[in-house]
Amino acid sequence: MSNQALLIVRADVPNEPDRAPFDQWYDRHMADAVRVFGARGAWRAWSRTDPSKHTAFYEFDSLEAANAAIQSPGTEFDAAWGSRATRTRDIVEVVQRLPISN
């Protein structure tokens, strides 16, 4: 297996009125982040067990590319959300992938 990797960005948006604006902001932000990071693709999700939890996944062809992406300062997020949303970032290396079968 190659050293494909994911950058996982978790955000906590505790105030319910902030969630719709966060969604609108992230709709625009994700496309820019994919381009800047050089990611292969991306997707995001809201937790159904805790509605304040948002997770974005950025997929990379190499661990090195994911490591380079995590070095970005994230100033856009901080400028837009300040203390209204907290964020953590993590890199995971893909160690197994099964094909989807029908």
Side-chain angles (χ1 to χ4, degrees), residues 55-83:
T55 306
F57 303 87
Y58 297 90
E59 185 176 18
F60 295 90
D61 288 327
S62 72
L63 189 56
E64 293 76 19
N67 280 323
I70 203 171
Q71 300 305 315
S72 70
T75 54
E76 298 86 6
F77 186 98
D78 296 337
W81 295 101
S83 63

Side-chain angles (χ1 to χ4, degrees), residues 21-85:
F22 185 90
D23 249 347
Q24 293 168 354
W25 178 83
Y26 224 104
D27 279 347
R28 295 182 306 275
H29 171 73
M30 183 170 263
D32 291 338
V34 165
R35 183 180 45 75
V36 169
F37 292 161
R40 167 188 233 191
W43 62 96
R44 63 189 190 94
W46 285 98
S47 170
R48 292 298 179 207
T49 56
D50 183 344
S52 69
K53 307 296 185 202
H54 177 272
T55 306
F57 303 87
Y58 297 90
E59 185 176 18
F60 295 90
D61 288 327
S62 72
L63 189 56
E64 293 76 19
N67 280 323
I70 203 171
Q71 300 305 315
S72 70
T75 54
E76 298 86 6
F77 186 98
D78 296 337
W81 295 101
S83 63
R84 294 183 302 155

